[in-house]
Amino acid sequence: MFRGLFVCVSLAVILWGTIEKVQGKASKLWLQPLNKTFLQTGVFPNGFLWGVGSAAFPTEGSWDADGKGESVWDRFTHHRDPSSDSYIQWEEDLKSVQYLGVNFYAFSLSWTRIFPDGNATANPNPAGVQYYRRLIGKLKELHVEPVVTLFHWDFPQVLQERFGGWLNRSTADVFADYAAFCFRTFGDEVRFWITMHNPFLLALQGYGTGAHAPGVTGDPADPFIAAHNLLRAHAKAWHIYDKHFRPHQNGKVSITLGSYWVEPLHGQATPANVELCQKTMETVIGWFAEPIYGSGDYPESLKASHRGVIPEFSAQERLWMKGTADFFSLAFERETLRVGKGLARFGQMVNLDLRSVLVWVQQTYGDPQVLIAENGWFSDASVGVEDTVNIYMMKMFIFQVMRAVSVDGVRVFGYTAWSLLDGFEWNHGYSIRRGLFYIDFSKAERHRVPKTSAHFYRRLVRDNGFPAENTPHIEGQFPCDFQFGVSESVLQVNLHPFSPQFTDPQLYRWNLSGDGALTPVTGVLLHTRPAQCTDFLFIQRHLFLLGVTGSSHYRFALDWTQLAPGGDPASVDPEKVRFYRCVLMELQRRGIHPVVTLYSPSNLSSSLGLPQPLHANGGWRNTSIVEAFVKYAVFCYHEFGALVSTWITINEPNRLNELYAEKRQTVARHLLLAHAKAWHIYDSKFRRKQGGAVSLALHADWVEPSNPFLESHKSAQQQFLEFELGRFLDPLIGGGNEGRGNTLIGGGNEGRDNTLTGFSDDERAELTGALDFIALNHFTTCLVSPWKHPKPLNLEHGCSLTKDHTWPRSHLGQAIVPWGLRRMLGWVRNHYGDRLPIIVTAAGVDDHAVHDDQLRQSYIRSYLQEALKARELDGVNLKGFYVWRLQDHRHDIKYGLFSSAAHHSRPKASVSVYRDIITHRGFPSTADQRPLTCWDTDNGTSCELCTRIAENKPLLFFSVCVSISMSMLGVLIIISVMRKRRKKKRRMPTNVRVQQRFAMMRVAHGTGLLRH
């Protein structure tokens, strides 16, 4: 065994070493993924630069105005439209920049607007030079830093025809002349220069696939030749600036490189897959980054896979190329991703993970300073100003940058949102939009209208990130009557394992024939005892786990299908009744309060948790089920009510309603009436004697407007909440009305059940007030927006639900949004007042960790913290919080505090977290971590002695031991003294005793005290 283990360890070390040798430190990103963080808020460091960018060709228009020459993109697209008309409306552009409040504006110069034929040794076009001087000067007046790109793909058409574009080595010299002119002309006002933008796309698409201008195709060596000359042109420009302009202009020069991220196929980080991932990154970004930031040459993997077609750098060129950038400028956008998916990913999975790209750059190229020079997404032309998707794509990318900065230490100093305006998007034309400002290209005016993404980015720039909107962590404790519980679904009747001790009347002889068997003794019968609760071994084991959590309450549901398989009390199974009674008695013995749910539907059950005859008869669509449920409730009150102080009639009727494909209004009506009738029967016949409370539990996840800048989305939020909760709570709390949510149901679609609930006056009276507390099951938060037409037939609330992908998520995709609980509780309080207490009857998250369930630990802490804020800061009458659930099931998703019985019911780390919170009843100050000892709630008097005892248990034990010892020692001393006196009296002479006696008699006689 040890030899095998040694071989395995040795192999792992060899494989790791091989990967390290081949790929270096960056390979660890696939072997050891970046630390997951639950970070949902945060701000960037002081001095972080926020910007917005655009390019000349998509936005300037005026393709031949004022002496401008033709570019390869003008020829390639035959585009003659004004585009965004920025050449004319540049001042409107700057108003848009001002609106955003950014620190810098990144834009590109049109080479042919300054030199129409591309020849920088000739006289420049005065109109073009003046245009950019005005633009740069006005930006400086506005205290907005210009970040200027010399070349963003719009190469002069004349040079393309004369030299063959970037396939000619002399093009690098022409570019160097152009760069020198720009440095000399504009450099005194410009701190940041970009020589060229994303040469990867230009080389591959312009000289390989032909999808971009100039549309060259054919020779497989062309992309590598073009890339080689682009790199040479960049290096020449950098050296010119470094030698002739840096000493007095003090600017910085870089080149913007594009990239995306790849993951191993199917998540399998084998050495082969890791090597392929590394090759992909070296092909996309390393192609240009390695010569500049690394060795001065192309990556070895790229040279090996393209030997014979990729040019070579001489030793002198490598030295000259290396280090020709003052910072790392990165573009992370849709076009590079789209191209890379088909060309350079070696069968790996492409991922929009900007954080990992930044860390890869950090680890591969020596932790350079980084500028995000282009980042953004796109929308269809039809979207208009309501670009909600773009908001969340931008938010996701910026969160990734923030995590790279704050968690991984990447030195990002600026971020550029792309782009400022809608424009003519290269080969895509007007079919997609990338701007923060909308332009209607069908109108000549070309007005700039801020999209909702512009409002979002403006707020983000103002706040320097995502500062916490909610109250930070507070210290405080829940009151002594607060219910800390664990919630379970249906507690299945477990008659096995069973221990029938003393129930067998037979007497046995053991090993009579030497085989170790038990042989009955004929003719002898023993006395037996009746069945006892200890026979059910499951109960003891199950409730022992509950006790470990320290919970004061346990919520579970009865199994209607097992208790009364026929659906009525006449079909009750006595053994199942005895099982549940034993559970309740054991809970009582342990001092744990049960909260019992009469009916908990399940979509895993073919009958939705109903007895089969009731389901076959139409279930909740049939009016008869109301009386059937009431009879079942009465039976349960009668059998178990003495042991139950809190009842839930129906769990999540608002979710059960959705499980029916038709007559949903009828189902909702019957659910409400069944609950109300069950409540009234308890109130009139059982409450006085049993003293319990009755409610129903609603699923109550919070929703936020998907787009907080749109009134339609805010209205959708209220619409959804009133449908989800109001249609059940309004009739019970709001005076028996059908519920505000019900007025939203049934409008519009053919085939839908359009009948409103339509309660009669008697039914309204029965519904009104049929609730003792508000029970809410809350797990997560979603985003809500109006559903676009046509609406699905089964979408009664008329809303669309999505998720914010920047929120931390569980393995199953559940968003972790603690503040959503507080907002939900506040909404319920604002709508229904404080008369009824609120109990969170279920809250939990799946976590597939075997023991160290960090996600669940964080969930319990953060959600209970928000519950405390709701109580203490918002005045919510919150009376309890129940964690979902006690134990994993064999084939269940991992919600349990304990592993399944098949995995030995081991406690997870979250058990101790929850128990600690319960012990301290919340979050006391760090100076006072003593357990909170509550007084007896039955008699209402405090026990000061009890408190002292609880605080000094070790001292108490020592004192008791000392007291007992001293008492025993005292008794021994007394016994010893008494024995010695008795012995002394026995040794005394008789005459002495007589003389003494007569002397005493004489004294007594002389004083007259002795009477004869």
Side-chain angles (χ1 to χ4, degrees):
M1 181 181 73
F2 291 106
R3 181 180 179 183
L5 179 62
F6 175 76
V7 171
C8 291
V9 172
S10 301
L11 181 60
V13 171
I14 291 171
L15 290 175
W16 182 280
T18 301
I19 294 171
E20 283 288 290
K21 183 177 180 180
V22 174
Q23 281 93 27
K25 290 191 299 182
S27 66
K28 291 182 179 179
L29 287 173
W30 295 288
L31 296 169
Q32 297 176 340
L34 296 174
N35 292 330
K36 289 186 178 181
T37 172
F38 302 139
L39 183 70
Q40 297 190 55
T41 59
V43 294
F44 284 81
N46 291 332
F48 189 85
L49 302 177
W50 296 99
V52 64
S54 66
F57 172 76
T59 60
E60 282 187 359
S62 303
W63 74 278
D64 62 348
D66 296 335
K68 178 186 176 295
E70 186 182 22
S71 74
V72 294
W73 275 97
D74 294 325
R75 177 71 60 88
F76 186 75
T77 61
H78 304 288
H79 179 60
R80 302 294 185 262
D81 193 75
S83 297
S84 311
D85 203 26
S86 289
Y87 181 69
I88 303 300
Q89 299 194 49
W90 63 274
E91 290 179 296
E92 296 300 314
D93 289 353
L94 297 191
K95 289 180 182 177
S96 301
V97 171
Q98 274 188 290
Y99 175 82
L100 296 174
V102 293
N103 307 110
F104 67 88
Y105 177 43
F107 62 93
S108 67
L109 306 176
S110 173
W111 191 340
T112 57
R113 196 173 295 282
I114 299 174
F115 295 102
D117 61 356
N119 181 11
T121 60
N123 291 327
N125 176 22
V129 173
Q130 183 61 27
Y131 168 69
Y132 291 117
R133 274 183 171 158
R134 286 199 308 264
L135 180 62
I136 293 171
K138 188 64 175 179
L139 284 170
K140 300 296 284 189
E141 285 182 25
L142 299 174
H143 304 288
V144 177
E145 197 68 39
V147 176
V148 181
T149 297
L150 296 173
F151 172 60
H152 194 140
W153 304 350
D154 48 348
F155 192 71
Q157 180 65 29
V158 172
L159 295 182
Q160 183 67 33
E161 294 173 354
R162 183 180 303 169
F163 297 114
W166 291 102
L167 297 179
N168 194 315
R169 283 181 61 89
S170 61
T171 303
D173 298 318
V174 177
F175 179 80
D177 293 337
Y178 164 61
F181 172 84
C182 293
F183 294 151
R184 184 168 52 253
T185 305
F186 310 117
D188 289 341
E189 302 292 335
V190 177
R191 287 176 53 206
F192 296 99
W193 290 97
I194 303 296
T195 56
M196 55 188 64
H197 189 91
N198 205 346
F200 167 78
L201 284 180
L202 174 57
L204 198 63
Q205 296 282 77
Y207 292 86
T209 67
H212 283 191
V216 176
T217 60
D219 193 333
D222 283 352
F224 298 99
I225 295 171
H228 196 74
N229 289 326
L230 285 163
L231 280 166
R232 292 178 58 251
H234 158 75
K236 283 178 177 287
W238 186 89
H239 280 290
I240 287 171
Y241 187 87
D242 189 57
K243 181 177 181 180
H244 299 290
F245 298 98
R246 192 190 303 277
H248 61 278
Q249 291 183 356
N250 297 313
K252 294 184 177 182
V253 181
S254 187
I255 178 173
T256 295
L257 305 181
S259 187
Y260 54 85
W261 184 245
V262 289
E263 294 287 349
L265 195 62
H266 306 307
Q268 298 175 354
T270 63
N273 279 344
V274 169
E275 184 176 357
L276 289 176
C277 287
Q278 181 71 9
K279 282 184 178 180
T280 296
M281 297 302 294
E282 291 174 352
T283 299
V284 180
I285 191 170
W287 186 0
F288 294 88
E290 183 64 22
I292 297 171
Y293 301 96
S295 63
D297 199 357
Y298 296 115
E300 292 298 325
S301 64
L302 191 67
K303 292 193 293 183
S305 58
H306 296 90
R307 207 173 299 280
V309 295
I310 189 169
E312 295 183 1
F313 289 112
S314 67
Q316 184 177 359
E317 284 178 323
R318 289 196 293 270
L319 290 174
W320 174 74
M321 179 67 63
K322 184 177 180 179
T324 56
D326 301 319
F327 56 92
F328 201 105
S329 183
L330 177 67
F332 193 85
E333 38 69 48
R334 177 248 189 186
E335 189 66 12
T336 304
L337 169 70
R338 189 184 67 81
V339 172
K341 275 186 174 181
L343 296 175
R345 62 187 178 103
F346 296 104
Q348 304 303 287
M349 297 183 297
V350 174
N351 198 335
L352 289 174
D353 189 350
L354 176 54
R355 177 188 176 190
S356 290
V357 173
L358 289 169
V359 176
W360 188 88
V361 168
Q362 176 197 50
Q363 296 184 357
T364 305
Y365 300 118
D367 193 21
Q369 285 191 309
V370 181
L371 171 69
I372 309 295
E374 178 187 0
N375 182 234
W377 205 239
F378 71 100
S379 59
D380 293 333
S382 61
V383 169
V385 298
E386 298 183 3
D387 56 341
T388 303
V389 172
N390 279 1
I391 288 178
Y392 288 97
M393 293 300 293
M394 180 187 292
K395 185 179 180 183
M396 179 184 73
F397 289 135
I398 295 176
F399 255 112
Q400 291 175 357
V401 176
M402 186 169 68
R403 288 164 183 158
V405 171
S406 61
V407 178
D408 309 312
V410 181
R411 298 195 296 155
V412 181
F413 67 88
Y415 175 88
T416 311
W418 201 273
S419 67
L420 177 67
L421 308 170
D422 286 341
F424 187 85
E425 290 297 332
W426 308 98
N427 54 318
H428 299 288
Y430 291 131
S431 64
I432 65 172
R433 304 297 186 100
R434 297 193 63 194
L436 295 175
F437 286 79
Y438 171 79
I439 294 178
D440 186 347
F441 294 110
S442 66
K443 296 181 179 179
E445 294 83 4
R446 299 296 202 261
H447 291 308
R448 282 90 168 110
V449 180
K451 301 180 184 179
T452 54
S453 58
H455 301 311
F456 170 79
Y457 190 54
R458 180 180 189 233
R459 186 175 67 183
L460 189 149
V461 170
R462 178 198 67 198
D463 296 337
N464 196 32
F466 306 94
E469 297 180 8
N470 299 289
T471 308
H473 181 93
I474 66 169
E475 295 175 343
Q477 292 173 296
F478 294 96
C480 289
D481 62 349
F482 190 83
Q483 302 175 18
F484 286 103
V486 173
S487 188
E488 193 71 49
S489 57
V490 175
L491 183 63
Q492 299 291 339
V493 176
N494 287 270
L495 302 182
H496 302 283
F498 189 71
S499 177
Q501 299 182 62
F502 310 113
T503 61
D504 185 355
Q506 187 66 57
L507 179 67
Y508 296 89
R509 298 177 68 180
W510 175 72
N511 204 26
L512 182 63
S513 58
D515 59 356
L518 292 172
T519 305
V521 177
T522 58
V524 179
L525 295 177
L526 304 175
H527 291 289
T528 61
R529 63 148 173 83
Q532 297 183 6
C533 287
T534 52
D535 297 338
F536 299 114
L537 300 183
F538 166 83
I539 295 175
Q540 297 294 327
R541 297 172 183 175
H542 188 73
L543 298 187
F544 171 78
L545 302 182
L546 180 65
V548 172
T549 68
S551 299
S552 61
H553 289 69
Y554 180 44
R555 180 194 169 202
F556 65 91
L558 305 174
D559 190 339
W560 191 358
T561 64
Q562 291 196 49
L563 267 178
D568 62 90
S571 63
V572 163
D573 185 333
E575 191 66 4
K576 310 295 176 59
V577 173
R578 188 170 79 88
F579 172 83
Y580 282 124
R581 188 180 292 115
C582 287
V583 171
L584 295 169
M585 291 172 65
E586 181 62 20
L587 285 169
Q588 185 182 62
R589 189 185 70 81
R590 294 172 178 265
I592 299 173
H593 301 278
V595 178
V596 178
T597 302
L598 294 173
Y599 170 57
S600 182
S602 172
N603 58 358
L604 301 178
S605 167
S606 59
S607 65
L608 303 180
L610 290 173
Q612 189 59 41
L614 296 179
H615 179 70
N617 199 32
W620 288 99
R621 291 169 296 193
N622 193 314
T623 307
S624 63
I625 198 172
V626 175
E627 286 306 315
F629 179 79
V630 172
K631 290 178 181 179
Y632 165 64
V634 170
F635 171 80
C636 293
Y637 296 155
H638 181 270
E639 290 293 331
F640 310 124
L643 299 168
V644 178
S645 59
T646 307
W647 293 94
I648 302 291
T649 55
I650 303 169
N651 185 56
E652 299 191 351
N654 50 345
R655 283 291 178 266
L656 171 60
N657 194 53
E658 297 175 0
L659 299 180
Y660 284 88
E662 57 185 18
K663 295 188 176 181
R664 292 184 173 180
Q665 285 300 296
T666 303
V667 170
R669 169 191 172 86
H670 292 160
L671 287 166
L672 277 166
L673 290 175
H675 160 76
K677 289 179 182 295
W679 184 91
H680 277 286
I681 285 180
Y682 187 86
D683 189 58
S684 61
K685 296 184 178 181
F686 296 94
R687 189 188 302 275
R688 181 173 299 178
K689 183 176 180 181
Q690 296 178 1
V694 181
S695 184
L696 51 71
L698 296 174
H699 191 97
D701 287 340
W702 180 245
V703 290
E704 282 286 305
S706 292
N707 195 325
F709 304 100
L710 295 175
E711 289 301 321
S712 61
H713 287 222
K714 295 177 183 178
S715 298
Q717 177 193 32
Q718 295 305 314
Q719 177 175 319
F720 180 83
L721 291 171
E722 288 171 358
F723 176 85
E724 184 80 338
L725 300 180
R727 60 180 168 149
F728 286 95
L729 289 180
D730 279 5
L732 301 171
I733 304 175
N737 297 320
E738 282 80 0
R740 283 162 288 187
N742 287 319
T743 62
L744 308 170
I745 303 171
N749 288 334
E750 293 296 327
R752 182 184 288 178
D753 177 16
N754 291 324
T755 306
L756 292 177
T757 350
F759 295 117
S760 67
D761 291 340
D762 290 341
E763 288 170 337
R764 286 193 179 94
E766 191 171 34
L767 289 168
T768 302
L771 208 64
D772 296 324
F773 60 94
I774 299 174
L776 305 175
N777 298 340
H778 176 90
F779 293 88
T780 187
T781 295
C782 296
L783 300 174
V784 65
S785 60
W787 189 277
K788 302 202 180 288
H789 295 286
K791 299 174 184 175
L793 293 176
N794 61 347
L795 198 68
E796 295 176 310
H797 49 66
C799 300
S800 174
L801 297 177
T802 56
K803 297 177 182 177
D804 184 342
H805 292 288
T806 65
W807 291 339
R809 288 177 290 167
S810 69
H811 180 79
L812 295 176
Q814 178 181 326
I816 316 301
V817 192
W819 48 261
L821 171 62
R822 182 181 176 188
R823 294 187 183 183
M824 171 55 77
L825 294 172
W827 186 89
V828 172
R829 175 184 180 273
N830 291 338
H831 276 65
Y832 301 108
D834 297 323
R835 183 179 65 84
L836 295 179
I838 302 174
I839 299 176
V840 178
T841 44
V845 66
D846 65 285
D847 190 327
H848 287 233
V850 176
H851 171 70
D852 189 16
D853 52 348
Q854 295 184 17
L855 183 63
R856 183 177 294 108
Q857 295 174 55
S858 174
Y859 183 98
I860 291 173
R861 288 193 192 98
S862 57
Y863 275 67
L864 271 167
Q865 173 68 201
E866 294 301 314
L868 183 65
K869 292 176 186 176
R871 269 191 59 88
E872 300 301 313
L873 303 180
D874 306 332
V876 176
N877 187 15
L878 183 65
K879 292 294 186 180
F881 184 95
Y882 291 66
V883 171
W884 176 271
R885 56 192 300 172
L886 183 62
Q887 189 173 14
D888 294 336
H889 293 177
R890 183 185 296 271
H891 303 295
D892 192 37
I893 52 181
K894 307 299 182 181
Y895 274 93
L897 296 168
F898 291 82
S899 63
S900 66
H903 294 85
H904 310 293
S905 303
R906 292 189 178 95
K908 301 175 187 178
S910 54
V911 173
S912 61
V913 169
Y914 190 38
R915 184 182 181 90
D916 184 66
I917 293 173
I918 294 172
T919 301
H920 295 92
R921 303 205 70 79
F923 305 89
S925 65
T926 53
D928 183 14
Q929 288 292 318
R930 296 175 300 173
L932 176 63
T933 303
C934 292
W935 51 60
D936 186 350
T937 56
D938 291 335
N939 57 30
T941 58
S942 65
C943 177
E944 183 66 24
L945 177 61
C946 297
T947 303
R948 296 295 179 88
I949 289 174
E951 293 175 356
N952 301 281
K953 289 179 180 179
L955 181 60
L956 172 66
F957 178 76
F958 177 74
S959 301
V960 171
C961 292
V962 171
S963 300
I964 293 173
S965 300
M966 293 300 294
S967 299
M968 293 179 65
L969 181 61
V971 170
L972 291 174
I973 292 172
I974 292 171
I975 293 173
S976 177
V977 170
M978 290 179 66
R979 285 182 177 177
K980 287 182 179 180
R981 286 182 177 178
R982 287 176 183 173
K983 289 181 180 179
K984 188 174 182 181
K985 289 179 180 179
R986 289 174 184 168
R987 293 172 185 166
M988 191 177 297
T990 306
N991 59 346
V992 174
R993 294 179 184 173
V994 173
Q995 290 176 1
Q996 288 179 342
R997 186 168 55 226
F998 282 112
M1000 293 176 64
M1001 290 174 64
R1002 284 196 297 268
V1003 172
H1005 178 76
T1007 57
L1009 296 175
L1010 187 61
R1011 296 289 185 264
H1012 298 282

